[in-house]
């Protein structure tokens, strides 16, 4: 098609005919970057998979890049520009990179959209000029809190005897909003504030959550039962593993995560239940497929994506895993 377009250009056919052909050949050349902060995390692998699906359907190219720190983000953007990409969707490793990411993408003439973690400016305010798709963090956090409260009640636990491992990552606003939502619901249900123990993680992976949770457990030997919540499934799985190591198994731990990707599925598929009681399933399809398509439309039709799209989630556990994932088209 490209050769044909060139041929027709040489032959100087009528303006209208040339224009429509040019559009086609341009669409074929569309290349977008999909840059993620933690390529080893199943959530991001799912996003990439759905970005690929969009690319296949619309016949464009997705360049997938893992960028775990600021330096890698900057070189990823330059790399995309040198490959003649026209835009990128990114989940940054540190939202404070916001102004630098905007400046670099602008300088490299790349359209920019963020996914999952919204960029912030020097004052810590969201950079709302960059189109963003994230989860409704506070609402989803509340769903987590409600699931924990319901299960505490179902088991007839006395909240006074229960500790809560709140795995935190305060430098990331979506993490803050998620745990705040969960905390609010717990407190409103009468969970004692003093029983909520912060476990700040240094990085948002299971290992760091495990280390943080271990400290919380060591410092609070008085609790005989635990619940846990945090930014994502990895955070809660870290707490669940740490609790297990001290003898708090499925009957003494109610962990509810956020995500519902492979790490949660593996847990639910274990023959015996673990302390990982449930998760709020969110949609990697929307975050991977839809963002890529929005970027594609922006490049090909100059249709700018909505400034802010917030996606919702649904509580999932080992009993309804298949149905709920199906509902989400997964
Ligand atoms: C953040 C988390 C991920 C995932 C996404 C969802 O980026 O680090 O694990 O929960 O949000 O938007």
């Amino acid at each position: 098609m490209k050769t044909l377009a060139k041929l027709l250009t040489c032959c100087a056919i009528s303006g209208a005919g040339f224009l429509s052909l040019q559009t086609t050949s341009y669409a074929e050349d569309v290349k977008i970057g999909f840059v993620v902060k933690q390529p080893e995390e199943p959530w991001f692998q799912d996003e990439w998979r759905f970005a690929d699906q969009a690319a296949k359907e619309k016949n464009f190219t997705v360049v997938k890049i893992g960028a775990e720190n600021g330096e890698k983000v900057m070189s990823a953007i330059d790399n995309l520009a040198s490959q003649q990409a026209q835009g990128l969707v990114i989940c940054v490793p540190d939202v404070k990179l916001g102004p630098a990411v905007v400046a670099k993408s602008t300088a490299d003439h790349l359209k920019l959209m963020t996914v999952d973690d919204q960029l912030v400016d020097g004052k810590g305010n969201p950079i709302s000029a960059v189109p963003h798709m994230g989860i409704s963090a506070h609402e989803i956090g509340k769903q987590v809190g409600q699931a924990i409260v319901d299960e505490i009640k179902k088991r007839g636990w006395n909240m006074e005897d229960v500790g809560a491992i709140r795995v935190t990552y305060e430098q990331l606003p979506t993490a803050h909003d998620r745990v705040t939502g969960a905390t609010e619901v717990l407190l409103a249900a009468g969970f004692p504030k003093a029983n909520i123990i912060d476990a700040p993680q240094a990085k948002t992976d299971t290992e760091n959550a495990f280390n943080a949770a271990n400290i919380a457990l060591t410092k609070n030997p008085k609790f005989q039962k635990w619940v846990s919540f945090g930014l994502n499934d990895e955070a809660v799985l870290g707490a669940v593993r740490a609790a297990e190591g001290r003898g708090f198994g499925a009957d003494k731990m109610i962990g509810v995560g956020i995500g519902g990707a492979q790490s949660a599925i593996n847990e639910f598929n274990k023959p015996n239940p673990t302390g990982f009681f449930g998760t709020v399933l969110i949609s990697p399809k929307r975050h991977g497929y839809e963002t890529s398509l929005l970027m594609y439309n922006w490049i090909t039709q100059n249709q700018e994506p909505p400034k802010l799209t917030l996606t919702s989630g649904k509580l999932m556990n080992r009993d309804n895993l298949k149905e709920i994932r199906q509902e989400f088209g997964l």
Side-chain angles (χ1 to χ4, degrees):
M1 185 59 88
K2 255 182 272 172
T3 340
L4 181 63
K6 272 187 206 138
L7 193 70
L8 291 173
T9 316
C10 302
C11 299
I13 60 148
S14 83
F18 168 58
L19 268 182
S20 66
L21 264 172
Q22 225 190 13
T23 313
T24 318
S25 91
Y26 183 42
E28 279 176 1
D29 288 331
V30 170
K31 188 184 269 186
I32 74 169
F34 204 111
V35 183
V36 304
K37 63 177 179 181
Q38 263 168 281
E40 78 289 354
E41 192 183 305
W43 165 261
F44 294 108
Q45 285 165 18
D46 281 352
E47 275 186 348
W48 272 350
R49 195 157 50 83
F50 286 112
D52 275 337
Q53 188 183 319
K56 210 166 160 201
E57 278 177 32
K58 295 286 175 184
N59 195 26
F60 62 90
T61 307
V62 179
V63 183
K64 292 168 292 211
I65 306 176
E68 296 91 342
N69 57 47
E71 224 173 285
K72 286 192 181 163
V73 168
M74 294 306 144
S75 65
I77 300 175
D78 278 341
N79 183 307
L80 287 166
S82 66
Q83 294 190 47
Q84 256 101 54
Q86 299 95 339
L88 79 150
V89 179
I90 187 168
C91 176
V92 286
D94 178 354
V95 290
K96 290 199 202 75
L97 291 167
V101 169
V102 172
K104 167 102 22 220
S105 311
T106 310
D108 282 347
H109 308 291
L110 287 160
K111 293 187 166 31
L112 172 69
M113 170 163 193
T114 53
V115 68
D116 302 318
D117 301 350
Q118 192 171 23
L119 303 175
V120 301
D121 63 19
K123 290 187 184 133
N125 297 318
I127 303 185
S128 50
V130 176
H132 175 71
M133 183 184 289
I135 68 167
S136 352
H138 187 248
E139 267 316 299
I140 287 173
K142 280 165 68 179
Q143 285 173 267
V144 168
Q146 195 56 54
I148 292 175
V149 166
D150 290 348
E151 188 59 19
I152 289 178
K153 288 188 178 155
K154 199 170 150 200
R155 295 184 186 192
W157 288 3
N158 178 356
M159 292 193 190
E160 298 296 329
D161 308 332
V162 184
I165 303 177
R166 173 166 66 183
V167 182
T168 59
Y169 191 70
E170 283 301 293
Q171 56 268 56
L172 179 61
T174 185
H176 172 86
D177 295 348
R178 296 175 198 190
V179 298
T180 303
T183 306
E184 282 170 13
V185 173
L186 254 68
L187 294 178
F191 197 91
K193 199 171 178 193
N195 293 14
I196 300 180
I197 316 297
D198 274 343
Q201 54 181 168
K203 240 193 95 188
T204 59
D205 59 16
T206 302
E207 191 188 339
N208 281 274
F210 175 83
N211 295 337
N214 257 324
I215 298 171
L217 288 162
T218 308
K219 284 191 179 160
N220 296 277
K222 65 174 189 267
F223 297 116
Q224 288 314 304
K225 296 183 184 84
W226 287 94
V227 300
S228 181
F229 55 96
L231 160 72
N232 54 16
D233 289 338
E234 283 67 25
V236 174
L237 278 170
V240 165
R241 291 288 96 86
E244 260 166 15
R246 286 159 195 259
F248 302 103
D251 55 335
K252 291 185 182 136
M253 161 59 94
I254 303 166
V256 178
I258 294 172
Q262 200 56 47
S263 6
I265 299 171
N266 291 346
E267 201 64 17
F268 292 147
N269 282 340
K270 289 182 176 169
N272 295 316
T274 71
F276 191 81
F277 172 74
T279 181
V280 176
L281 177 68
I282 52 178
S283 178
K285 188 169 183 184
R286 294 204 61 191
H287 288 228
Y289 181 90
E290 216 173 294
T291 52
S292 302
L293 219 53
L294 286 168
M295 179 52 74
Y296 171 80
N297 290 339
W298 195 3
I299 293 165
T300 56
Q301 293 160 37
N302 206 22
Q303 222 174 70
E304 200 184 321
K307 289 290 187 213
L308 186 63
T309 308
L310 296 178
T311 60
S312 58
K314 195 154 186 187
L315 183 67
M316 181 171 91
N317 57 37
R318 51 168 48 225
D319 300 325
N320 63 16
L321 170 74
K322 283 214 178 81
E323 290 146 56
I324 305 280
R325 282 184 57 86
Q326 224 161 38
E327 245 181 66
F328 273 60
L330 301 169

mmCIF file of all heavy atoms in Angstrom, residues 155 157-164 195 217 220-227 243 246-254:
data_model
loop_
_atom_site.group_PDB
_atom_site.id
_atom_site.type_symbol
_atom_site.label_atom_id
_atom_site.label_comp_id
_atom_site.label_asym_id
_atom_site.label_seq_id
_atom_site.Cartn_x
_atom_site.Cartn_y
_atom_site.Cartn_z
ATOM 1 N N ARG A 155 -17.175 -14.049 60.206
ATOM 2 C CA ARG A 155 -16.411 -14.969 61.061
ATOM 3 C C ARG A 155 -16.673 -14.726 62.544
ATOM 4 O O ARG A 155 -16.149 -15.437 63.395
ATOM 5 C CB ARG A 155 -14.912 -14.809 60.783
ATOM 6 C CG ARG A 155 -14.526 -15.219 59.377
ATOM 7 C CD ARG A 155 -13.014 -15.150 59.168
ATOM 8 N NE ARG A 155 -12.678 -15.422 57.769
ATOM 9 C CZ ARG A 155 -11.453 -15.648 57.339
ATOM 10 N NH1 ARG A 155 -10.434 -15.636 58.186
ATOM 11 N NH2 ARG A 155 -11.221 -15.878 56.062
ATOM 12 N N TRP A 157 -15.533 -12.283 64.356
ATOM 13 C CA TRP A 157 -14.352 -11.788 65.070
ATOM 14 C C TRP A 157 -14.700 -10.530 65.863
ATOM 15 O O TRP A 157 -15.496 -9.694 65.403
ATOM 16 C CB TRP A 157 -13.230 -11.429 64.091
ATOM 17 C CG TRP A 157 -12.545 -12.599 63.446
ATOM 18 C CD1 TRP A 157 -12.842 -13.922 63.590
ATOM 19 C CD2 TRP A 157 -11.460 -12.537 62.513
ATOM 20 N NE1 TRP A 157 -12.005 -14.690 62.825
ATOM 21 C CE2 TRP A 157 -11.135 -13.864 62.147
ATOM 22 C CE3 TRP A 157 -10.707 -11.502 61.945
ATOM 23 C CZ2 TRP A 157 -10.114 -14.172 61.249
ATOM 24 C CZ3 TRP A 157 -9.691 -11.809 61.057
ATOM 25 C CH2 TRP A 157 -9.397 -13.130 60.710
ATOM 26 N N ASN A 158 -14.081 -10.391 67.010
ATOM 27 C CA ASN A 158 -14.190 -9.155 67.770
ATOM 28 C C ASN A 158 -13.105 -8.196 67.262
ATOM 29 O O ASN A 158 -11.908 -8.501 67.365
ATOM 30 C CB ASN A 158 -13.990 -9.475 69.257
ATOM 31 C CG ASN A 158 -14.041 -8.214 70.109
ATOM 32 O OD1 ASN A 158 -14.143 -7.105 69.585
ATOM 33 N ND2 ASN A 158 -13.957 -8.399 71.415
ATOM 34 N N MET A 159 -13.517 -7.070 66.722
ATOM 35 C CA MET A 159 -12.560 -6.165 66.073
ATOM 36 C C MET A 159 -11.443 -5.704 67.015
ATOM 37 O O MET A 159 -10.356 -5.360 66.573
ATOM 38 C CB MET A 159 -13.287 -4.966 65.482
ATOM 39 C CG MET A 159 -14.167 -5.345 64.302
ATOM 40 S SD MET A 159 -14.721 -3.901 63.407
ATOM 41 C CE MET A 159 -15.926 -4.615 62.314
ATOM 42 N N GLU A 160 -11.728 -5.691 68.312
ATOM 43 C CA GLU A 160 -10.714 -5.279 69.297
ATOM 44 C C GLU A 160 -9.473 -6.182 69.247
ATOM 45 O O GLU A 160 -8.370 -5.748 69.556
ATOM 46 C CB GLU A 160 -11.290 -5.324 70.722
ATOM 47 C CG GLU A 160 -12.476 -4.388 70.976
ATOM 48 C CD GLU A 160 -12.109 -2.908 70.855
ATOM 49 O OE1 GLU A 160 -10.947 -2.556 71.163
ATOM 50 O OE2 GLU A 160 -12.975 -2.118 70.425
ATOM 51 N N ASP A 161 -9.684 -7.437 68.853
ATOM 52 C CA ASP A 161 -8.576 -8.412 68.863
ATOM 53 C C ASP A 161 -7.853 -8.508 67.521
ATOM 54 O O ASP A 161 -6.947 -9.328 67.362
ATOM 55 C CB ASP A 161 -9.106 -9.838 69.149
ATOM 56 C CG ASP A 161 -9.963 -9.903 70.382
ATOM 57 O OD1 ASP A 161 -9.746 -9.066 71.282
ATOM 58 O OD2 ASP A 161 -10.851 -10.790 70.438
ATOM 59 N N VAL A 162 -8.305 -7.728 66.571
ATOM 60 C CA VAL A 162 -7.771 -7.880 65.209
ATOM 61 C C VAL A 162 -6.837 -6.719 64.861
ATOM 62 O O VAL A 162 -7.157 -5.558 65.108
ATOM 63 C CB VAL A 162 -8.928 -7.933 64.177
ATOM 64 C CG1 VAL A 162 -8.401 -8.186 62.766
ATOM 65 C CG2 VAL A 162 -9.964 -8.992 64.562
ATOM 66 N N GLY A 163 -5.682 -7.045 64.297
ATOM 67 C CA GLY A 163 -4.785 -6.007 63.789
ATOM 68 C C GLY A 163 -4.960 -5.885 62.282
ATOM 69 O O GLY A 163 -5.330 -6.853 61.612
ATOM 70 N N ALA A 164 -4.712 -4.690 61.760
ATOM 71 C CA ALA A 164 -4.785 -4.500 60.303
ATOM 72 C C ALA A 164 -3.411 -4.080 59.794
ATOM 73 O O ALA A 164 -2.852 -3.083 60.271
ATOM 74 C CB ALA A 164 -5.826 -3.445 59.952
ATOM 75 N N ASN A 195 -5.578 -0.170 66.098
ATOM 76 C CA ASN A 195 -5.218 -1.507 65.609
ATOM 77 C C ASN A 195 -4.742 -1.485 64.161
ATOM 78 O O ASN A 195 -4.402 -2.523 63.608
ATOM 79 C CB ASN A 195 -6.419 -2.457 65.716
ATOM 80 C CG ASN A 195 -6.804 -2.743 67.158
ATOM 81 O OD1 ASN A 195 -6.349 -2.049 68.055
ATOM 82 N ND2 ASN A 195 -7.655 -3.736 67.381
ATOM 83 N N LEU A 217 4.321 -7.042 62.100
ATOM 84 C CA LEU A 217 3.956 -8.231 62.891
ATOM 85 C C LEU A 217 4.843 -8.353 64.132
ATOM 86 O O LEU A 217 4.355 -8.623 65.234
ATOM 87 C CB LEU A 217 4.079 -9.501 62.023
ATOM 88 C CG LEU A 217 3.010 -9.673 60.940
ATOM 89 C CD1 LEU A 217 3.455 -10.669 59.877
ATOM 90 C CD2 LEU A 217 1.686 -10.126 61.552
ATOM 91 N N ASN A 220 3.915 -6.019 66.901
ATOM 92 C CA ASN A 220 2.562 -6.107 67.458
ATOM 93 C C ASN A 220 2.157 -7.543 67.761
ATOM 94 O O ASN A 220 1.188 -8.059 67.195
ATOM 95 C CB ASN A 220 1.559 -5.469 66.482
ATOM 96 C CG ASN A 220 1.812 -3.983 66.307
ATOM 97 O OD1 ASN A 220 1.365 -3.185 67.116
ATOM 98 N ND2 ASN A 220 2.565 -3.629 65.275
ATOM 99 N N PRO A 221 2.873 -8.157 68.692
ATOM 100 C CA PRO A 221 2.592 -9.571 68.975
ATOM 101 C C PRO A 221 1.246 -9.780 69.664
ATOM 102 O O PRO A 221 0.788 -10.922 69.758
ATOM 103 C CB PRO A 221 3.750 -9.979 69.898
ATOM 104 C CG PRO A 221 4.244 -8.708 70.496
ATOM 105 C CD PRO A 221 3.965 -7.611 69.521
ATOM 106 N N LYS A 222 0.623 -8.708 70.094
ATOM 107 C CA LYS A 222 -0.620 -8.905 70.853
ATOM 108 C C LYS A 222 -1.815 -9.349 69.998
ATOM 109 O O LYS A 222 -2.765 -9.920 70.516
ATOM 110 C CB LYS A 222 -0.985 -7.641 71.637
ATOM 111 C CG LYS A 222 -1.317 -6.423 70.797
ATOM 112 C CD LYS A 222 -1.804 -5.308 71.722
ATOM 113 C CE LYS A 222 -2.376 -4.124 70.986
ATOM 114 N NZ LYS A 222 -1.403 -3.064 70.715
ATOM 115 N N PHE A 223 -1.748 -9.107 68.717
ATOM 116 C CA PHE A 223 -2.895 -9.492 67.880
ATOM 117 C C PHE A 223 -2.826 -10.962 67.486
ATOM 118 O O PHE A 223 -1.790 -11.441 67.040
ATOM 119 C CB PHE A 223 -2.969 -8.623 66.628
ATOM 120 C CG PHE A 223 -3.203 -7.176 66.935
ATOM 121 C CD1 PHE A 223 -2.253 -6.205 66.613
ATOM 122 C CD2 PHE A 223 -4.377 -6.760 67.567
ATOM 123 C CE1 PHE A 223 -2.460 -4.871 66.909
ATOM 124 C CE2 PHE A 223 -4.589 -5.416 67.873
ATOM 125 C CZ PHE A 223 -3.626 -4.463 67.544
ATOM 126 N N GLN A 224 -3.937 -11.624 67.621
ATOM 127 C CA GLN A 224 -3.999 -13.047 67.270
ATOM 128 C C GLN A 224 -4.678 -13.273 65.920
ATOM 129 O O GLN A 224 -4.688 -14.384 65.396
ATOM 130 C CB GLN A 224 -4.707 -13.837 68.374
ATOM 131 C CG GLN A 224 -3.858 -13.975 69.646
ATOM 132 C CD GLN A 224 -2.406 -14.371 69.354
ATOM 133 O OE1 GLN A 224 -2.152 -15.380 68.721
ATOM 134 N NE2 GLN A 224 -1.443 -13.548 69.782
ATOM 135 N N LYS A 225 -5.248 -12.183 65.398
ATOM 136 C CA LYS A 225 -5.883 -12.270 64.076
ATOM 137 C C LYS A 225 -5.511 -11.005 63.305
ATOM 138 O O LYS A 225 -5.317 -9.944 63.912
ATOM 139 C CB LYS A 225 -7.407 -12.323 64.227
ATOM 140 C CG LYS A 225 -7.916 -13.558 64.947
ATOM 141 C CD LYS A 225 -9.440 -13.555 64.983
ATOM 142 C CE LYS A 225 -9.971 -14.722 65.782
ATOM 143 N NZ LYS A 225 -10.006 -14.411 67.242
ATOM 144 N N TRP A 226 -5.473 -11.146 61.999
ATOM 145 C CA TRP A 226 -5.049 -9.996 61.182
ATOM 146 C C TRP A 226 -5.934 -9.829 59.947
ATOM 147 O O TRP A 226 -6.511 -10.806 59.443
ATOM 148 C CB TRP A 226 -3.604 -10.186 60.711
ATOM 149 C CG TRP A 226 -2.581 -9.995 61.796
ATOM 150 C CD1 TRP A 226 -2.032 -10.976 62.572
ATOM 151 C CD2 TRP A 226 -2.003 -8.759 62.212
ATOM 152 N NE1 TRP A 226 -1.126 -10.420 63.456
ATOM 153 C CE2 TRP A 226 -1.086 -9.056 63.258
ATOM 154 C CE3 TRP A 226 -2.160 -7.417 61.814
ATOM 155 C CZ2 TRP A 226 -0.337 -8.077 63.908
ATOM 156 C CZ3 TRP A 226 -1.401 -6.441 62.462
ATOM 157 C CH2 TRP A 226 -0.508 -6.768 63.496
ATOM 158 N N VAL A 227 -5.962 -8.591 59.459
ATOM 159 C CA VAL A 227 -6.494 -8.331 58.118
ATOM 160 C C VAL A 227 -5.423 -7.506 57.396
ATOM 161 O O VAL A 227 -4.525 -6.966 58.048
ATOM 162 C CB VAL A 227 -7.838 -7.534 58.160
ATOM 163 C CG1 VAL A 227 -8.900 -8.302 58.927
ATOM 164 C CG2 VAL A 227 -7.655 -6.129 58.719
ATOM 165 N N ALA A 243 2.509 -13.081 57.334
ATOM 166 C CA ALA A 243 1.629 -13.590 58.390
ATOM 167 C C ALA A 243 1.693 -15.116 58.447
ATOM 168 O O ALA A 243 1.812 -15.701 59.529
ATOM 169 C CB ALA A 243 0.198 -13.116 58.147
ATOM 170 N N ARG A 246 4.343 -16.670 60.362
ATOM 171 C CA ARG A 246 4.186 -16.631 61.827
ATOM 172 C C ARG A 246 2.962 -17.407 62.288
ATOM 173 O O ARG A 246 2.444 -17.182 63.373
ATOM 174 C CB ARG A 246 4.075 -15.182 62.276
ATOM 175 C CG ARG A 246 5.424 -14.523 62.187
ATOM 176 C CD ARG A 246 5.274 -13.038 62.132
ATOM 177 N NE ARG A 246 6.521 -12.445 61.700
ATOM 178 C CZ ARG A 246 7.384 -11.887 62.527
ATOM 179 N NH1 ARG A 246 7.138 -11.813 63.793
ATOM 180 N NH2 ARG A 246 8.507 -11.373 62.048
ATOM 181 N N GLY A 247 2.457 -18.223 61.403
ATOM 182 C CA GLY A 247 1.351 -19.102 61.803
ATOM 183 C C GLY A 247 -0.040 -18.507 61.622
ATOM 184 O O GLY A 247 -1.020 -19.100 62.075
ATOM 185 N N PHE A 248 -0.134 -17.338 60.992
ATOM 186 C CA PHE A 248 -1.473 -16.790 60.731
ATOM 187 C C PHE A 248 -1.898 -17.199 59.318
ATOM 188 O O PHE A 248 -1.594 -16.522 58.342
ATOM 189 C CB PHE A 248 -1.485 -15.259 60.837
ATOM 190 C CG PHE A 248 -1.040 -14.737 62.182
ATOM 191 C CD1 PHE A 248 0.233 -14.214 62.347
ATOM 192 C CD2 PHE A 248 -1.898 -14.763 63.269
ATOM 193 C CE1 PHE A 248 0.652 -13.728 63.581
ATOM 194 C CE2 PHE A 248 -1.490 -14.279 64.514
ATOM 195 C CZ PHE A 248 -0.205 -13.767 64.668
ATOM 196 N N GLY A 249 -2.597 -18.309 59.239
ATOM 197 C CA GLY A 249 -3.034 -18.820 57.938
ATOM 198 C C GLY A 249 -4.405 -18.279 57.569
ATOM 199 O O GLY A 249 -4.854 -17.256 58.093
ATOM 200 N N ALA A 250 -5.083 -19.010 56.687
ATOM 201 C CA ALA A 250 -6.376 -18.559 56.147
ATOM 202 C C ALA A 250 -7.414 -18.264 57.238
ATOM 203 O O ALA A 250 -8.246 -17.370 57.080
ATOM 204 C CB ALA A 250 -6.922 -19.619 55.207
ATOM 205 N N ASP A 251 -7.332 -18.997 58.346
ATOM 206 C CA ASP A 251 -8.332 -18.805 59.407
ATOM 207 C C ASP A 251 -8.011 -17.610 60.301
ATOM 208 O O ASP A 251 -8.835 -17.210 61.116
ATOM 209 C CB ASP A 251 -8.440 -20.087 60.255
ATOM 210 C CG ASP A 251 -7.097 -20.526 60.819
ATOM 211 O OD1 ASP A 251 -6.037 -20.180 60.208
ATOM 212 O OD2 ASP A 251 -7.074 -21.176 61.875
ATOM 213 N N LYS A 252 -6.811 -17.042 60.136
ATOM 214 C CA LYS A 252 -6.426 -15.927 61.010
ATOM 215 C C LYS A 252 -5.996 -14.685 60.245
ATOM 216 O O LYS A 252 -5.428 -13.753 60.807
ATOM 217 C CB LYS A 252 -5.288 -16.363 61.921
ATOM 218 C CG LYS A 252 -5.732 -17.387 62.973
ATOM 219 C CD LYS A 252 -4.605 -17.690 63.912
ATOM 220 C CE LYS A 252 -5.046 -18.745 64.906
ATOM 221 N NZ LYS A 252 -4.024 -19.760 65.086
ATOM 222 N N MET A 253 -6.231 -14.685 58.960
ATOM 223 C CA MET A 253 -5.839 -13.519 58.142
ATOM 224 C C MET A 253 -6.877 -13.304 57.053
ATOM 225 O O MET A 253 -7.282 -14.258 56.383
ATOM 226 C CB MET A 253 -4.452 -13.768 57.525
ATOM 227 C CG MET A 253 -4.089 -12.910 56.321
ATOM 228 S SD MET A 253 -4.101 -11.120 56.588
ATOM 229 C CE MET A 253 -2.393 -10.774 56.983
ATOM 230 N N ILE A 254 -7.320 -12.063 56.894
ATOM 231 C CA ILE A 254 -8.211 -11.724 55.781
ATOM 232 C C ILE A 254 -7.509 -10.640 54.963
ATOM 233 O O ILE A 254 -7.492 -9.470 55.341
ATOM 234 C CB ILE A 254 -9.574 -11.183 56.292
ATOM 235 C CG1 ILE A 254 -10.252 -12.195 57.231
ATOM 236 C CG2 ILE A 254 -10.491 -10.832 55.108
ATOM 237 C CD1 ILE A 254 -11.425 -11.600 58.028
#
